[in-house]
Amino acid sequence: MKRILLSCFLLSATVGVSSLQHASAYAAPAPVTMAAFTAKVNLMDTQIGAGNITAAQATWNEIHDMMLAVLGVSKNSINTAATPAIATSYRTILENQTVIYQAVWNLKPNLAANRVALHTKLGEFAATIY
């Protein structure tokens, strides 16, 4: 019985230590700036214009990750706002970002055909980054 109890204790200690080590290794992603987002959008637009859809798709994936990070910042800003009025202003920004995100998502399946509309909508999204 003592052996079973000891092995359970050692197993739980091992799991706990490895979890702590994994958690401390996490690094938060760099914040998304309007300039970095716009540069990535312009890169994708150039790639589409050059007919390099494979590279444009890879860049789109990076842009998508950036958009999700921006949406996350907005949600966090609502949750940590100092006053209800400030939370309301962040909520309005998030609603605008969400509408633009949905429009971009609908344009994304055909990057070449929707090049101009994508560039325009992504520019609108960039304008909401704070």
Side-chain angles (χ1 to χ4, degrees):
M1 186 63 145
K2 289 181 184 179
R3 289 182 189 177
I4 294 172
L5 185 59
L6 180 61
S7 61
C8 288
F9 174 74
L10 290 175
L11 179 62
S12 66
T14 303
V15 170
V17 169
S18 67
S19 296
L20 286 175
Q21 290 172 345
H22 186 278
S24 64
Y26 173 76
V32 177
T33 64
M34 185 186 300
F37 186 82
T38 301
K40 198 62 75 170
V41 169
N42 289 336
L43 173 62
M44 183 180 73
D45 186 61
T46 301
Q47 292 166 333
I48 295 169
N52 192 348
I53 300 303
T54 303
Q57 183 62 48
T59 304
W60 157 255
N61 291 337
E62 294 174 27
I63 291 169
H64 184 252
D65 290 343
M66 294 171 93
M67 291 175 78
L68 293 178
V70 169
L71 291 169
V73 167
S74 295
K75 289 177 185 177
N76 185 57
S77 296
I78 293 167
N79 293 332
T80 59
T83 67
I86 294 171
T88 299
S89 67
Y90 285 130
R91 195 170 289 110
T92 301
I93 292 170
L94 179 61
E95 289 168 2
N96 290 335
Q97 289 171 337
T98 303
V99 167
I100 297 167
Y101 175 87
Q102 287 296 324
V104 168
W105 188 257
N106 291 332
L107 295 170
K108 172 238 171 228
N110 192 341
L111 296 176
N114 297 324
R115 177 184 177 191
V116 174
L118 260 172
H119 196 268
T120 301
K121 283 296 180 186
L122 289 169
E124 290 175 17
F125 189 88
T128 69
I129 297 173
Y130 55 93

